[in-house]
Amino acid sequence: MNRAKSNKKRYLVLGIIVLIGLALAFSMKEKMFNTNSEQKNSNQEVKETSPLFPNYEETAVEAEDGLLEVTNEQSNLVLVNKARKLPDGYEPPDLTYPIVPLHGASKDKTLMRKEAAKALEKLFEAAEADSIVLTPVSAYRSFDRQQSLYNFYIQSHGEEWTKAYSAYPGTSEHQTGLSIDVSSPNFGNMLEKEFGETKEGTWLADHAHEYGYIIRYPEDKVEKTEYNYEPWHIRYIGVKHATYLYENDLVLEEVMSPK
């Protein structure tokens, strides 16, 4: 009788141990599942907030003048700078005039690619709703127009200043039809670095990305862009990509640098 009770007690203890073991195993499995799920969700979140930018090497070929000639010139994400130029004779295929208040600016200088123009209209509407008055000063420039400006700047301001602020013909973002210089009547429609300190310049820097635009040449990125600070020069790349650059304090050269 005592032996039966002893065996019964032993089986009861073993049963409890087995149950505890199963409970611990289930708990560990559930924890691992949750950890993997969290990691997966985290990876998905990173992927969603890190949009794909064009590959530096795969979007250009070597040109005879020593520069790289871009091959994705019609992309909203085309990278044009001192090292990368547009194909000879390039002209955007869908130039149009954005319907925005001119405030004394010349309409002929406001041509932009259609998608960028529509986005600019929304940007100006939002600015007006916030009591901010902006002026569209200079958008698309042909190669010949950029050539004339560049030569004028060389003669009037010298080579050092010109290279810091003006693009060599063929390497200008203005020729893409995706960029525009913006100012304000309150600032005399001037294109000067002090524009960035005005309420209009501050609003533009804070909200341009919401409409697909970026401040292309920020004050703290001169070494990356190789151009001096231009708070008036905005570039259209689309809301998703513009927001990513804005939130991470990046410029195109940093997300499309050569490997």
Side-chain angles (χ1 to χ4, degrees):
M1 187 67 178
N2 290 336
R3 181 179 297 177
K5 286 183 178 180
S6 178
N7 289 337
K8 185 177 181 181
K9 185 176 180 180
R10 184 182 302 168
Y11 292 146
L12 180 60
V13 171
L14 288 174
I16 292 174
I17 292 174
V18 170
L19 288 174
I20 292 174
L22 290 173
L24 288 173
F26 178 79
S27 177
M28 290 180 65
K29 185 176 182 180
E30 184 178 21
K31 185 176 181 180
M32 291 178 62
F33 175 79
N34 290 336
T35 300
N36 290 335
S37 296
E38 290 175 1
Q39 183 65 41
K40 183 178 180 181
N41 291 334
S42 177
N43 290 338
Q44 287 178 341
E45 183 178 352
V46 170
K47 185 176 181 179
E48 290 174 357
T49 57
S50 304
L52 183 65
F53 285 84
N55 180 280
Y56 188 92
E57 288 88 357
E58 294 176 1
T59 54
V61 295
E62 291 187 10
E64 294 180 356
D65 54 10
L67 298 177
L68 293 175
E69 183 176 297
V70 299
T71 56
N72 63 335
E73 62 273 14
Q74 293 191 28
S75 169
N76 288 337
L77 296 170
V78 60
L79 176 62
V80 179
N81 55 26
K82 290 182 183 292
R84 295 164 63 97
K85 71 172 189 176
L86 291 162
D88 294 342
Y90 175 72
E91 180 177 329
D94 55 353
L95 293 173
T96 187
Y97 293 105
I99 303 175
V100 294
L102 296 175
H103 300 299
S106 171
K107 181 179 179 180
D108 290 340
K109 293 182 179 181
T110 64
L111 275 175
M112 301 192 76
R113 293 197 61 182
K114 187 176 181 179
E115 185 176 335
K118 292 298 181 183
L120 189 76
E121 293 173 0
K122 294 179 181 179
L123 186 152
F124 271 54
E125 288 173 3
E128 186 176 356
D130 286 345
S131 301
I132 297 295
V133 182
L134 299 174
T135 301
V137 178
S138 180
Y140 169 70
R141 296 178 196 154
S142 66
F143 178 94
D144 291 340
R145 172 61 178 161
Q146 186 66 26
Q147 179 80 69
S148 297
L149 279 175
Y150 192 85
N151 291 341
F152 171 76
Y153 291 145
I154 288 288
Q155 295 175 4
S156 59
H157 296 289
E159 185 174 354
E160 183 177 353
W161 183 96
T162 301
K163 288 184 176 180
Y165 285 102
S166 184
Y168 190 78
T171 68
S172 173
E173 280 209 331
H174 285 278
Q175 193 179 343
T176 68
L178 297 169
S179 292
I180 183 170
D181 294 335
V182 175
S183 189
S184 171
N186 292 333
F187 192 63
N189 290 340
M190 296 185 297
L191 303 178
E192 302 287 346
K193 66 179 182 179
E194 289 76 16
F195 173 68
E197 302 171 8
T198 67
K199 65 177 183 179
E200 294 84 3
T202 299
W203 186 94
L204 189 65
D206 290 341
H207 296 280
H209 67 280
E210 297 170 6
Y211 306 92
Y213 281 91
I214 56 172
I215 303 297
R216 182 65 178 93
Y217 307 119
E219 190 170 18
D220 61 342
K221 300 291 183 177
V222 175
E223 291 185 1
K224 300 294 183 181
T225 66
E226 298 187 78
Y227 283 106
N228 280 5
Y229 175 43
E230 294 189 0
W232 62 84
H233 182 106
I234 59 176
R235 157 71 190 275
Y236 181 76
I237 60 174
V239 174
K240 185 176 183 179
H241 291 83
T243 299
Y244 177 77
L245 293 190
Y246 173 81
E247 292 180 345
N248 292 279
D249 188 28
L250 297 168
V251 290
L252 286 176
E253 279 77 9
E254 293 177 291
V255 292
M256 288 183 61
S257 59
K259 296 179 181 179

